[in-house]
Amino acid sequence: STIDSSISPLKPVYEPKDSSAPRNESPQLAKLISTLNLQQHIEGGYFVETDRDTNRVPNPFLNTSPSASSHEQTTFYTSTGAVKADLGNKLTDVDPDKNKNMTADSTSQDETRNASTSIHYLLTPESPMGAFHRNRGRTIHTLHRGRGRYVIIHADEVMPSYDTHSAIRSKARVETFIVGQNVEKGERLQWIVDGGKYKSSFLLPLEGEDAADNNGLLISETVVPGFEYSDHDFMRIDRLEALVTKEQADEMRWMLRK
Ligand code: GUN
């Protein structure tokens, strides 16, 4: 089913299904999924790892000092300038049993990381949303085909903001943009998400396209240093509500992993 997204850009166009619900991809998308050997991703959508550099680099996220990881450092913008502080939002290692395709026993404390990894990532009308999560590594995204919206919560850039009771709260900057071929209209072919920022994405139709005929959003992502589950975690409802205003949390809670 489709929903009118003209009211708010953050409304889904294609309704996400339960992760256990059967998926009825179009013949074209089913063929693409099998040709590229894509698997279901725990964030939603489909992926395949296409490269893992065997060259290893020192793990830049090792806790050599108490707040060495970018996840733990937040910049507060105040009238007197930017202040860095530890918000205590340390990334906790995810339960490896929950994750398929896990590489051998990586932990946040490993001395080294693969220099880079790359994946293909696909959103379809049957799996149209990549749930809010963050990675410690920096991710370079490149569009191949289709159209979608990205939402970035800059958890490391926090500003004073008034809530509905006029109390001042520190809230993170929220950014959203469309990825697509129409560069003249500001759609992006390439986008970078720095480590520590929360990201979600959802499928949009091409302009003039019938939502029913959507052939998916296909991109590539390269993570530096290489992806590990121990550098990855999902946004949770309590953290979303702490990071953004009540109104923004209400608009975005559908993009949380179910
Ligand atoms: N395995 C599960 N998710 C991912 C991912 O996002 N990137 C890579 N490289 N491997 C994964």
Side-chain angles (χ1 to χ4, degrees), residues 8 10 132 153 159 161-172 174 237-256:
S8 158
L10 298 186
F132 266 118
I153 299 179
M159 290 170 222
S161 149
Y162 291 95
D163 72 8
T164 44
H165 309 291
S166 300
I168 295 180
R169 302 254 186 274
S170 290
K171 293 298 174 189
V174 178
I237 183 65
D238 53 334
R239 182 114 174 91
L240 178 67
E241 286 173 347
L243 278 172
V244 302
T245 66
K246 166 93 171 61
E247 292 72 18
Q248 288 173 320
D250 286 344
E251 274 189 298
M252 296 193 285
R253 65 181 80 243
W254 70 275
M255 290 180 252
L256 294 172

Side-chain angles (χ1 to χ4, degrees), residues 41 43 47 49 52 101 117 119 227 229:
H41 199 294
E43 294 159 8
F47 85 111
E49 191 173 276
R52 179 169 287 267
N101 311 303
T117 55
I119 61 169
F227 178 89
Y229 272 112

Side-chain angles (χ1 to χ4, degrees), residues 170-185:
S170 290
K171 293 298 174 189
R173 181 163 72 89
V174 178
E175 180 189 14
T176 179
F177 51 87
I178 292 177
V179 306
Q181 308 282 353
N182 201 339
V183 292
E184 282 78 18
K185 284 202 170 168

